[in-house]
Amino acid sequence: FHLTSVGYRQSKDGFIDADYEKTKEIVDFQEKIISLINPLREGAIRARDKARLSEMSKSQQNNIIAYGYRGVGADFVPHLTFTKTEKFNESVLQGVEEADFSFNAESIGLFHLGDYGTCVELIEDFKFS
């Protein structure tokens, strides 16, 4: 499927992302992946997410408990993270020229999770057919 970039965003945690259009295809795909992968999580929740549950919306809290991640369902924002700043800086993206980061997704990878949700070691690459 095709992912269409719609701009840049900095989260309140300082992550700099390229955001993508939230299409029916990407939402359906997230739902399929979660239904397959979530049982492997065995209810695990990252310590840093436990520590900040009270700062999250009720919807995000429910997502953390059910899926181990706050950006699920209505809270899902399709994105690719470029980098992380130490803290939110309102002006960090000023002067950054918009670029088209659209692409056709041909596979998805299963990775070991690293610091800040990074993908540190590929376990398996699954090609779409």
Side-chain angles (χ1 to χ4, degrees), residues 79-100:
H79 69 279
L80 288 176
T81 300
F82 290 133
T83 193
K84 182 183 183 315
T85 58
E86 285 198 33
K87 61 182 181 176
F88 179 81
N89 178 344
E90 190 173 312
S91 65
V92 75
L93 291 172
Q94 288 180 356
V96 176
E97 188 175 319
E98 289 286 329
D100 185 3

Side-chain angles (χ1 to χ4, degrees), residues 2-8 18-20 82 97-103:
H2 187 75
L3 290 122
T4 303
S5 64
V6 294
Y8 305 126
D19 285 347
Y20 290 85
F82 290 133
E97 188 175 319
E98 289 286 329
D100 185 3
F101 288 99
S102 301
F103 65 96

Side-chain angles (χ1 to χ4, degrees), residues 8 11 14 18-19 21 23-24 29 33 41 43 51-52 56 65 77 79 89 93 98 110 113 122:
Y8 305 126
S11 72
D19 285 347
E21 186 179 331
T23 63
K24 180 176 178 358
F29 186 65
I33 293 299
R41 188 176 64 85
R52 59 186 185 172
M56 297 179 196
I65 292 164
V77 177
H79 69 279
N89 178 344
L93 291 172
E98 289 286 329
L110 179 63
L113 186 65
L122 179 65

Side-chain angles (χ1 to χ4, degrees), residues 9-115:
R9 169 180 55 100
Q10 180 183 196
S11 72
K12 66 179 181 177
D13 297 329
F15 290 98
I16 308 294
D17 301 331
D19 285 347
Y20 290 85
E21 186 179 331
K22 189 174 179 178
T23 63
K24 180 176 178 358
E25 291 80 15
I26 192 75
V27 169
D28 290 348
F29 186 65
Q30 185 196 44
E31 289 174 2
K32 287 177 186 175
I33 293 299
I34 288 170
S35 69
L36 291 168
I37 300 296
N38 198 44
L40 301 175
R41 188 176 64 85
E42 299 178 332
I45 299 174
R46 295 184 300 181
R48 62 179 262 183
D49 287 330
K50 284 181 186 177
R52 59 186 185 172
L53 265 177
S54 63
E55 302 168 16
M56 297 179 196
S57 70
K58 189 64 174 169
S59 175
Q60 290 174 334
Q61 290 175 15
N62 291 338
N63 285 342
I64 289 286
I65 292 164
Y67 309 111
Y69 185 67
R70 62 185 169 182
V72 176
D75 296 312
F76 176 45
V77 177
H79 69 279
L80 288 176
T81 300
F82 290 133
T83 193
K84 182 183 183 315
T85 58
E86 285 198 33
K87 61 182 181 176
F88 179 81
N89 178 344
E90 190 173 312
S91 65
V92 75
L93 291 172
Q94 288 180 356
V96 176
E97 188 175 319
E98 289 286 329
D100 185 3
F101 288 99
S102 301
F103 65 96
N104 289 320
E106 298 175 359
S107 66
I108 186 169
L110 179 63
F111 288 82
H112 287 283
L113 186 65
D115 294 339

